[in-house]
Amino acid sequence: MPHLPADPAVDASLGTQASLDTFAALSQATRLEAFRLLVRHEPEGLAAGEIARRLAVPHNTLSAHLGVLSRAGLVSQRRESRSLIYRANLEHMVATVEFLVRDCCGGNAEVCDPLLNALRTACP
């Protein structure tokens, strides 16, 4: 199971507005690719400059995208010497998925098994 960093800003009962903010942040191609890149590099994260290089995005443009992801709770950052290291906030993504399936299948949890199995096999 992946490491899920503790984040007091993430409420286990993520609501509609937080979920909308999450999906709005991910609804742009560069932000979606940046988040997916950071997920692949958990738990170490990546420096902002390396993200910009890998996505072939100008630094100032990437900075704006990372700001949107950060405000939506999808990424966190830490300073390491002169670099800002970004990490995906997996706990927030888990809370988002939980919000989506909170009332899964009207109490028939077995109907959600295909979804749960797909999530388990996503990280071999």
Side-chain angles (χ1 to χ4, degrees):
M1 179 161 206
H3 167 72
L4 300 177
D7 183 353
V10 175
D11 181 2
S13 60
L14 192 72
T16 301
Q17 189 58 54
S19 293
L20 289 171
D21 293 344
T22 297
F23 291 118
L26 294 173
S27 69
Q28 196 279 340
T30 302
R31 291 193 294 266
L32 179 61
E33 287 307 310
F35 181 75
R36 293 185 74 221
L37 178 64
L38 290 171
V39 167
R40 288 192 299 274
H41 286 85
E42 273 299 301
E44 298 84 13
L46 284 174
E50 182 63 13
I51 299 168
R53 185 187 72 74
R54 290 186 186 203
L55 298 180
V57 174
H59 291 271
N60 60 339
T61 301
L62 180 69
S63 179
H65 287 307
L66 290 171
V68 172
L69 292 170
S70 181
R71 285 187 295 280
L74 287 162
V75 300
S76 61
Q77 70 178 22
R78 73 178 187 282
R79 181 161 294 282
E80 203 171 272
S81 185
R82 294 179 57 191
S83 296
L84 285 177
I85 307 299
Y86 284 86
R87 289 188 59 198
N89 185 344
L90 298 179
E91 188 174 88
H92 183 83
M93 188 50 66
V94 167
T96 301
V97 172
E98 286 176 346
F99 171 79
L100 290 173
V101 298
R102 187 169 294 144
D103 302 314
C104 186
C105 310
N108 298 313
E110 65 279 356
V111 177
C112 289
D113 283 343
L115 171 64
L116 298 174
N117 290 333
L119 291 172
R120 282 186 199 99
T121 60
C123 295

